[in-house]
Amino acid sequence: MRTMDTPTGAYERFRHWAATLLTHQRANDAEVYQFSTIGALLEGVYDGDVTVAEILSHGDFGLGTFNHLDGEMVILDGVCYRLRADGSASRAAPTDRSPFAAVTRFHNDLEIAIHGRTTRTELTAAIDRQITSPNLIYAVRITGRFAELHTRTVMAQKPPYPPLTQATEEQAETVFTDVTGTVVGFRTPDFEQGISVAGYHLHFLNADRTGGGHILDFTLERGEVAISGASQLHLSLPTSGDFLDARLSGADIADRIDKAEGPRGERT
């Protein structure tokens, strides 16, 4: 004979189901989904097939670039922005395409309050002291007021494309002073150099979401740092175009990344 559920039994089964669902969802969230590699960008692979809409289906926080290197990418709160060489920012269209992007679903694992003037080197060192392991991936969000923030944005390129180190020689640089906004980026393990940018790869978007760029340096006046850890990397590689014939290895890859993207900063 079938027994009827009691209210207590039904409630406990619901709690178990909800806890299992949340655990599964959290496990899925602890992933960085990346399209192509930084090594491909170094070799001038500036055209991709992945759209902004597809990128956003895999996360609400991240960075990258757009086809032809026409602007830096910031993904914040589920919205994708294009940061152009003149320092301006605007929403990207869902149909815009990217040759490189990394995205995750941001969840706060760790928060650090910054109450006094702090340089980029001091801040990254503070983060390094707090993270669980340098061998995992961390999404980094820094929100606050910056005394000064130095950015660059590469100019849009035309075929035949030059390598990234050459393209960045013509980059437009902007200095923001006394500005509020958000730094969006990742801290990636050293062993991922060439797949991603090892160390800190950071972009900036101001509070009005009208300006920003790829960060070269900054001094934070005060603010909050939030860290979202990830133990999984999903790498989606192009199956057509220039990627298939690109030379994606070389002993000097770390030096070329530092020249194109800026120094990784000091480790602690």
Side-chain angles (χ1 to χ4, degrees), residues 1-267:
M1 181 177 66
R2 183 179 178 182
T3 58
M4 295 183 63
D5 288 340
T6 65
T8 301
Y11 175 70
E12 289 301 321
R13 276 194 299 277
F14 173 78
R15 284 188 59 190
H16 176 74
W17 171 83
T20 301
L21 180 64
L22 288 173
T23 299
H24 177 72
Q25 182 65 41
R26 184 60 176 272
N28 287 340
D29 286 351
E31 172 187 82
V32 173
Y33 200 107
Q34 182 174 307
F35 299 89
S36 193
T37 70
I38 196 67
L41 280 187
L42 284 176
E43 296 303 321
V45 182
Y46 302 154
D47 290 324
D49 292 331
V50 63
T51 64
V52 166
E54 183 176 351
I55 294 169
L56 292 178
S57 73
H58 294 284
D60 56 15
F61 180 95
L63 50 68
T65 188
F66 294 90
N67 277 8
H68 320 303
L69 292 189
D70 188 14
E72 305 284 353
M73 178 186 294
V74 162
I75 297 171
L76 182 61
D77 299 328
V79 179
C80 182
Y81 298 89
R82 185 193 294 260
L83 317 178
R84 293 194 181 275
D86 63 358
S88 67
S90 60
R91 283 199 181 200
T95 54
D96 286 344
R97 296 180 183 274
S98 170
F100 173 83
V103 66
T104 191
R105 301 191 188 280
F106 197 96
H107 52 270
N108 282 19
D109 290 327
L110 173 68
E111 293 185 348
I112 305 171
I114 305 298
H115 299 294
R117 181 169 288 208
T118 305
T119 66
R120 170 183 170 141
T121 300
E122 291 168 340
L123 186 56
T124 55
I127 294 172
D128 287 350
R129 288 192 295 269
Q130 295 292 323
I131 59 177
T132 302
S133 168
N135 297 326
L136 299 176
I137 309 170
Y138 300 92
V140 178
R141 185 179 66 209
I142 307 166
T143 305
R145 177 170 292 278
F146 297 82
E148 186 173 283
L149 194 144
H150 189 189
T151 69
R152 67 99 167 125
T153 303
V154 177
M155 303 277 190
Q157 302 296 304
K158 296 181 180 180
Y161 295 131
L164 188 60
T165 51
Q166 184 177 333
T168 56
E169 290 176 357
E170 300 177 358
Q171 65 190 10
E173 298 188 6
T174 303
V175 177
F176 296 87
T177 57
D178 193 27
V179 61
T180 59
T182 303
V183 171
V184 171
F186 293 94
R187 186 203 187 279
T188 303
D190 287 344
F191 60 77
E192 280 193 42
Q193 186 74 299
I195 301 296
S196 306
V197 178
Y200 289 88
H201 185 187
L202 307 172
H203 290 182
F204 174 71
L205 185 66
N206 67 8
D208 295 334
R209 304 194 175 186
T210 57
H214 173 101
I215 291 178
L216 298 176
D217 201 4
F218 64 77
T219 299
L220 179 64
E221 196 71 47
R222 60 184 181 277
E224 296 286 337
V225 180
I227 309 296
S228 176
S231 59
Q232 301 178 55
L233 173 65
H234 184 113
L235 182 59
S236 178
L237 298 177
T239 57
S240 63
D242 293 340
F243 179 87
L244 299 182
D245 297 319
R247 182 180 67 88
L248 302 181
S249 63
D252 63 340
I253 193 168
D255 291 337
R256 288 191 291 149
I257 289 175
D258 284 350
K259 181 178 179 181
E261 299 290 337
R264 286 181 283 171
E266 297 178 359
R267 297 290 196 201

